[in-house]
Amino acid sequence: RARSRAGGFSRETQPVLRSQFAPLPPSRQSWLRRLDMWKLVSEADPSRTRYLPAGKYQLGRTRKPDFVEEDNVEYIDVVEFNPDKGNLKAISRPHVEIEVRPLADVYKKKAQLIFIKDLSKFGVGVTGLDAKCYKQPSASQKETPMPNRILKGAAVPLHHGCTVQLTVTVPLFKLRLERVAVTICHSLLEKAMSKEVERHCAALGIAISPSWSTHCNLLVMQELQMTPKMLLALIDNKEIVTPAYLETMASDPQHALFLTDGTGGARASKSSWRPAAAF
């Protein structure tokens, strides 16, 4: 099935291996996709997306110059999602905290746990949660109530499709939480390298399959050697990358171009940067 009569690979099963220094053919531009993990997408401008590997994030208004950052917390300015600032006074400097926890077991296909905590003065609204996660409106409240306002200071679990509203007065600051499941498989990795791959996958929320299947998005190998997994990846026309590729994804997820099989409607990145980690 994988070879034509002339002995080469057919158009449908042509290998996707390439030199990491070779220019990418224009015909392959549709293959350049973001390898999806948890991400926040601006509803006003879906091209404005923030990827969230495992870690803590505080989202809010621009900090003061003398602000002292906490260790292990990444700070995100809300202007990143909407450059037309408008009235930002309703948005606190530390408005919300989002925590993405590493996968407990990369070999079990379960999504990373993600939580949101309201740190704001006027509240944060999140759709699609259990009733116990919401604050009951006060009868004496004079200002416009925040719809679907979550409990202040509590770590509230989120899921795919939740919408986060930062303020009532600036409706443009409404963010949607999305995730597309990604599965990889690896072949002929040394034990130490296999542990590194597992660590990166745990941070990124990527599951690892011990055997190749059509649900796998990538095959990870240290060097090219013909194995049953590699043959199946070629037949399925999937990308084969080095472990350094996952390291690139984990270290700079906002600017890296990630390769997938192009399914799931992932948006093609506009960046011209490519990780030198694919064969």
Side-chain angles (χ1 to χ4, degrees), residues 79-113:
V79 178
E80 182 177 321
F81 295 99
N82 180 23
D84 184 13
K85 298 182 181 180
N87 181 16
L88 296 182
K89 292 184 179 180
I91 298 180
S92 305
R93 296 189 188 276
H95 199 81
V96 297
E97 181 177 279
I98 296 176
E99 180 185 4
V100 183
R101 297 181 182 175
L103 282 177
D105 190 339
V106 293
Y107 292 97
K108 293 182 179 179
K109 296 182 179 180
K110 294 183 179 180
Q112 284 174 303
L113 297 178

Side-chain angles (χ1 to χ4, degrees), residues 44-62:
D45 183 0
S47 67
R48 295 185 176 275
T49 300
R50 181 78 182 199
Y51 290 83
L52 305 173
K56 284 188 178 181
Y57 306 85
Q58 281 193 6
L59 178 64
R61 197 154 37 105
T62 305

